Coordinates of all heavy atoms in Angstrom, one line a residue:
S104 N 94.9 95.3 140.0 CA 93.9 95.0 139.0 C 94.5 94.1 137.9 O 95.4 94.4 137.2 CB 93.3 96.2 138.4 OG 92.4 95.8 137.3
A105 N 93.9 92.9 137.8 CA 94.2 92.0 136.7 C 93.0 91.9 135.8 O 92.8 91.0 135.0 CB 94.5 90.6 137.2
V106 N 92.2 93.0 135.9 CA 90.9 93.1 135.1 C 91.2 93.9 133.8 O 91.8 94.9 133.9 CB 89.8 93.8 135.9 CG1 88.5 93.8 135.1 CG2 89.6 93.1 137.2
K107 N 90.8 93.3 132.7 CA 91.1 94.0 131.4 C 89.8 94.6 130.9 O 89.3 94.4 129.8 CB 91.6 93.0 130.3 CG 92.8 92.2 130.8 CD 94.0 93.1 131.1 CE 95.2 92.3 131.6 NZ 95.8 91.4 130.6
G108 N 89.2 95.5 131.7 CA 87.9 96.1 131.3 C 87.6 97.3 132.2 O 88.4 97.7 133.0
M109 N 86.4 97.8 132.1 CA 85.9 99.0 132.8 C 84.6 98.6 133.5 O 83.9 97.7 133.1 CB 85.7 100.2 131.9 CG 86.9 100.6 131.1 SD 86.7 101.9 129.9 CE 86.4 103.3 131.0
I110 N 84.2 99.4 134.5 CA 82.9 99.2 135.2 C 81.8 99.7 134.2 O 81.8 100.8 133.8 CB 82.9 100.1 136.4 CG1 84.0 99.7 137.4 CG2 81.5 99.9 137.1 CD1 83.9 98.3 138.0
P111 N 81.0 98.7 133.7 CA 80.0 99.1 132.8 C 79.0 100.1 133.3 O 78.8 100.3 134.5 CB 79.2 97.7 132.5 CG 80.2 96.7 133.0 CD 81.0 97.3 134.1
K112 N 78.4 100.9 132.4 CA 77.5 102.0 132.7 C 78.1 103.2 133.4 O 77.9 104.3 133.0 CB 76.3 101.5 133.5 CG 75.5 100.4 132.8 CD 74.3 99.9 133.6 CE 73.5 98.9 132.8 NZ 72.3 98.4 133.6
E113 N 79.0 102.9 134.4 CA 79.7 104.0 135.0 C 80.9 104.5 134.1 O 81.4 105.6 134.2 CB 80.2 103.7 136.4 CG 79.1 103.4 137.3 CD 79.6 103.3 138.8 OE1 80.4 104.1 139.1 OE2 79.1 102.4 139.5
N114 N 81.4 103.6 133.3 CA 82.5 103.9 132.3 C 83.7 104.4 132.9 O 84.3 105.4 132.5 CB 81.9 104.8 131.2 CG 80.7 104.3 130.5 OD1 80.5 103.1 130.3 ND2 79.8 105.3 130.2
I115 N 84.1 103.8 134.0 CA 85.3 104.2 134.7 C 86.3 103.0 134.8 O 85.8 101.9 134.8 CB 85.1 104.8 136.1 CG1 84.3 103.8 137.0 CG2 84.3 106.1 136.0 CD1 84.2 104.3 138.5
L116 N 87.6 103.3 134.9 CA 88.6 102.3 135.1 C 88.4 101.6 136.5 O 87.9 102.2 137.4 CB 90.0 102.9 135.0 CG 90.4 103.5 133.6 CD1 91.7 104.2 133.8 CD2 90.4 102.4 132.6
I117 N 88.9 100.4 136.6 CA 88.8 99.6 137.9 C 89.6 100.4 138.9 O 89.1 100.5 140.1 CB 89.4 98.2 137.7 CG1 88.7 97.5 136.6 CG2 89.3 97.5 139.0 CD1 87.2 97.3 136.8
S118 N 90.7 101.0 138.6 CA 91.5 101.7 139.6 C 90.7 102.9 140.1 O 90.7 103.2 141.3 CB 92.8 102.2 139.1 OG 92.6 103.0 137.9
D119 N 90.0 103.6 139.2 CA 89.2 104.8 139.7 C 88.0 104.3 140.6 O 87.7 105.0 141.5 CB 88.6 105.5 138.5 CG 89.7 106.2 137.7 OD1 90.8 106.5 138.3 OD2 89.6 106.4 136.4
Y120 N 87.4 103.2 140.2 CA 86.3 102.6 141.0 C 86.8 102.3 142.4 O 86.2 102.6 143.4 CB 85.7 101.4 140.4 CG 84.6 100.7 141.1 CD1 83.3 101.3 141.2 CD2 84.9 99.6 141.9 CE1 82.3 100.7 141.9 CE2 83.9 99.0 142.6 CZ 82.6 99.5 142.6 OH 81.6 98.9 143.3
V121 N 87.9 101.6 142.5 CA 88.5 101.2 143.8 C 88.8 102.4 144.7 O 88.6 102.4 145.9 CB 89.7 100.3 143.6 CG1 90.5 100.1 144.9 CG2 89.3 98.9 143.0
E122 N 89.4 103.4 144.0 CA 89.7 104.7 144.8 C 88.5 105.4 145.3 O 88.4 105.8 146.4 CB 90.5 105.6 143.9 CG 91.0 106.9 144.6 CD 92.0 107.7 143.8 OE1 92.1 107.5 142.6 OE2 92.6 108.6 144.4
R123 N 87.4 105.4 144.4 CA 86.2 106.1 144.8 C 85.4 105.4 145.9 O 84.9 106.0 146.8 CB 85.3 106.3 143.5 CG 84.1 107.2 143.8 CD 83.2 107.3 142.5 NE 82.5 106.1 142.4 CZ 81.7 105.8 141.3 NH1 81.7 106.6 140.3 NH2 81.0 104.6 141.3
V124 N 85.2 104.1 145.7 CA 84.4 103.4 146.6 C 85.1 102.9 147.9 O 84.5 102.9 149.0 CB 83.8 102.1 145.9 CG1 82.9 101.3 146.8 CG2 82.9 102.6 144.7
Y125 N 86.4 102.5 147.7 CA 87.1 101.9 148.9 C 88.2 102.8 149.4 O 89.0 102.4 150.3 CB 87.6 100.5 148.5 CG 86.5 99.6 148.2 CD1 86.1 99.3 146.9 CD2 85.8 99.0 149.2 CE1 85.0 98.5 146.6 CE2 84.7 98.1 148.9 CZ 84.4 97.9 147.6 OH 83.3 97.0 147.4
Q126 N 88.3 104.0 148.9 CA 89.3 105.0 149.3 C 90.8 104.5 149.3 O 91.6 104.8 150.2 CB 89.0 105.5 150.8 CG 87.7 106.3 150.9 CD 86.5 105.5 150.9 OE1 86.4 104.6 151.8 NE2 85.5 105.8 150.1
V127 N 91.1 103.7 148.3 CA 92.4 103.2 148.1 C 93.1 104.2 147.1 O 92.8 104.3 146.0 CB 92.5 101.8 147.5 CG1 94.0 101.4 147.3 CG2 91.8 100.8 148.4
P128 N 94.1 104.9 147.6 CA 94.8 105.9 146.7 C 95.5 105.2 145.6 O 95.9 104.1 145.7 CB 95.8 106.6 147.6 CG 96.0 105.7 148.7 CD 94.7 104.9 148.9
N129 N 95.7 105.9 144.5 CA 96.3 105.3 143.3 C 97.7 104.9 143.6 O 98.3 104.1 142.8 CB 96.2 106.1 142.0 CG 96.7 107.5 142.2 OD1 97.7 107.7 142.9 ND2 96.2 108.4 141.4
T130 N 98.4 105.5 144.6 CA 99.7 105.1 144.9 C 99.8 103.7 145.6 O 100.8 103.1 145.7 CB 100.4 106.1 145.9 OG1 99.5 106.3 147.0 CG2 100.6 107.4 145.2
H131 N 98.6 103.2 146.0 CA 98.5 101.8 146.5 C 97.8 100.9 145.6 O 97.2 99.9 146.0 CB 97.7 101.9 147.9 CG 98.6 102.3 149.0 ND1 99.0 103.6 149.1 CD2 99.0 101.6 150.1 CE1 99.7 103.7 150.3 NE2 99.8 102.5 150.9
Q132 N 97.8 101.2 144.3 CA 97.2 100.4 143.3 C 98.2 100.0 142.2 O 99.0 100.8 141.8 CB 96.0 101.1 142.7 CG 94.8 101.3 143.7 CD 93.5 101.6 142.9 OE1 93.1 100.8 142.1 NE2 92.9 102.7 143.3
L133 N 98.0 98.8 141.6 CA 98.8 98.4 140.5 C 97.9 97.8 139.5 O 96.7 97.5 139.8 CB 99.8 97.3 141.0 CG 100.7 97.5 142.2 CD1 101.5 96.3 142.6 CD2 101.7 98.7 141.9
V134 N 98.4 97.7 138.3 CA 97.6 97.0 137.2 C 98.6 96.1 136.5 O 99.8 96.4 136.2 CB 97.0 98.0 136.2 CG1 98.1 98.9 135.5 CG2 96.1 97.3 135.2
I135 N 98.1 94.9 136.2 CA 98.9 93.8 135.5 C 98.6 93.9 134.0 O 97.4 93.8 133.6 CB 98.6 92.4 136.0 CG1 98.8 92.3 137.5 CG2 99.4 91.4 135.3 CD1 98.5 91.0 138.1
A136 N 99.6 94.0 133.2 CA 99.5 93.9 131.7 C 100.3 92.8 131.2 O 101.3 92.3 131.8 CB 99.9 95.2 131.1
G137 N 100.0 92.3 130.0 CA 100.7 91.2 129.3 C 101.8 91.8 128.5 O 102.4 92.8 128.8
P138 N 102.2 91.1 127.4 CA 101.4 90.0 126.8 C 101.6 88.7 127.5 O 102.7 88.2 127.7 CB 102.0 89.9 125.4 CG 103.4 90.4 125.6 CD 103.4 91.4 126.6
C139 N 100.4 88.1 128.0 CA 100.5 86.9 128.8 C 99.1 86.2 128.8 O 98.2 86.8 129.4 CB 101.0 87.2 130.2 SG 101.3 85.8 131.2
H140 N 99.0 85.1 128.2 CA 97.8 84.3 128.3 C 97.9 83.3 129.4 O 98.9 82.6 129.5 CB 97.5 83.6 126.9 CG 96.8 84.5 125.9 ND1 95.7 85.2 126.2 CD2 97.2 84.7 124.6 CE1 95.3 85.8 125.1 NE2 96.2 85.6 124.1
A141 N 96.8 83.1 130.1 CA 96.7 82.1 131.2 C 97.1 80.7 130.7 O 97.8 80.0 131.4 CB 95.3 82.1 131.8
E142 N 96.6 80.4 129.6 CA 96.9 79.0 129.1 C 98.4 78.7 128.9 O 98.8 77.6 129.1 CB 96.1 78.8 127.8 CG 94.6 78.8 127.9 CD 94.0 80.2 127.9 OE1 94.7 81.2 127.9 OE2 92.7 80.3 128.0
E143 N 99.1 79.8 128.5 CA 100.6 79.6 128.3 C 101.3 79.6 129.6 O 102.3 78.9 129.8 CB 101.1 80.6 127.3 CG 100.6 80.4 125.9 CD 101.6 81.1 124.9 OE1 102.5 81.8 125.3 OE2 101.3 80.8 123.7
V144 N 100.8 80.3 130.6 CA 101.3 80.2 132.0 C 101.1 78.8 132.5 O 102.1 78.2 133.1 CB 100.6 81.2 132.9 CG1 101.0 80.9 134.4 CG2 101.0 82.6 132.5
A145 N 100.0 78.2 132.2 CA 99.7 76.8 132.7 C 100.7 75.8 132.0 O 101.1 74.8 132.7 CB 98.3 76.4 132.3
L146 N 101.1 76.1 130.8 CA 102.1 75.3 130.1 C 103.5 75.7 130.4 O 104.4 75.1 129.9 CB 101.8 75.4 128.6 CG 100.5 74.8 128.1 CD1 100.2 75.2 126.6 CD2 100.4 73.3 128.3
E147 N 103.7 76.7 131.2 CA 105.0 77.2 131.6 C 105.8 77.7 130.4 O 107.0 77.5 130.3 CB 105.8 76.2 132.4 CG 105.0 75.9 133.7 CD 105.8 75.0 134.7 OE1 106.9 74.6 134.4 OE2 105.3 74.8 135.8
K148 N 105.1 78.3 129.4 CA 105.8 78.9 128.3 C 106.3 80.3 128.8 O 105.8 80.9 129.6 CB 104.8 79.2 127.1 CG 104.1 77.9 126.6 CD 105.0 77.1 125.7 CE 104.3 76.0 125.0 NZ 105.2 75.2 124.1

Side-chain angles (χ1 to χ4, degrees):
S104 175
V106 183
K107 306 297 178 68
M109 303 176 71
I110 301 295
K112 297 183 180 178
E113 296 193 39
N114 306 324
I115 59 174
L116 295 172
I117 304 301
S118 58
D119 292 334
Y120 177 77
V121 169
E122 182 170 16
R123 189 184 74 188
V124 177
Y125 297 98
Q126 292 81 54
V127 179
N129 58 27
T130 54
H131 280 68
Q132 294 196 58
L133 308 174
V134 61
I135 301 177
C139 188
H140 278 306
E142 292 82 358
E143 291 202 350
V144 169
L146 295 170
E147 300 188 355
K148 300 285 189 180

